Amino acid sequence: MFTLTIPVSTDGLSAIKADLTRKLPDVKSSHRCEAIARGLGFRTYATALAAVQAGATSTAQVRGDLFVAYLAEHAFAVSPAAFYHAAAKVALRDVWERTPKLTMWGIGSGGPRRKEDGRWEDFRDMNARFKEARSELLGDGAVKPFLASLAFLGRVTPTKTIRKGTGSYWVKHIAENFACSYPEGEKLGPTYVANGVLIAAALQAGFKMKTYVDNLGYDELNVSFNMSKPCLEELDCEVRPDGARAQDRRHREAMKRNRHYPFGSATF
């Protein structure tokens, strides 16, 4: 389960409306608007607009249960996932705008690559690849992994400083194997999580990151976080019981037992 808080603005409300118009075309427009307002904690859509325009609110917690409850009162049965997805896009765009080098795959898009004709990419080629990877982060394919990552990150203990051994590529592999659900119980994960989506979710959740550059001065895709490494290791063993870390832990524990009881079991 996750908690999703988004920045509230007129543009954000319009974006949620537009997305739900596409995903819930059978729901009347007025009912969609009022359900959005309820799901963001407002009494009416007019109240939401007035609060935003007056600067009385800046963020809102997204409540799928209130969204679907309002629509149910008007004979529309929908899944809360559509509302969470529309709101998550607002959160993703906010992180995207605050982190200009963030792409679907991490920070930047790496150094030059060979093209199909065997030549190396020039600046124009690399810039086009970067822009494409950046735009992917705002697409539908990033939304479910973003929410699943938020659910996973809710289990991670933050630290005061950014620690070694907390690389995003490792963390994303744990997150994409994490079994989780939407707040109302509908299944959400496990699901594939791209490195950049995990980074976006971590920033949304309030974690800090450290970026790196390679020997040639290009941004490295992976970052480190202010996350407890022991906590991540525990979660890795829990989420991936057959993974390398879990197997290594079982092996070390067996070695300790054998060292203390060299002639077999400690049970008499």
Side-chain angles (χ1 to χ4, degrees), residues 197-229:
V197 174
L198 184 281
I199 294 172
L203 296 176
Q204 166 70 16
F207 289 98
K208 296 177 289 186
M209 71 174 182
K210 180 179 180 180
T211 60
Y212 304 90
V213 295
D214 63 20
N215 293 333
L216 297 177
Y218 295 107
D219 290 302
E220 292 191 0
L221 296 173
N222 302 321
V223 305
S224 298
F225 299 110
N226 62 320
M227 298 178 182
S228 165
K229 186 178 179 182

Side-chain angles (χ1 to χ4, degrees), residues 101-111 113 129 168-169 195-196 199 211-212 218-223:
K101 290 187 177 182
L102 183 60
T103 73
M104 187 73 162
W105 312 111
I107 301 299
S109 54
R113 301 176 183 175
R129 177 160 56 84
S168 56
Y169 195 67
N195 189 44
I199 294 172
T211 60
Y212 304 90
Y218 295 107
D219 290 302
E220 292 191 0
L221 296 173
N222 302 321
V223 305

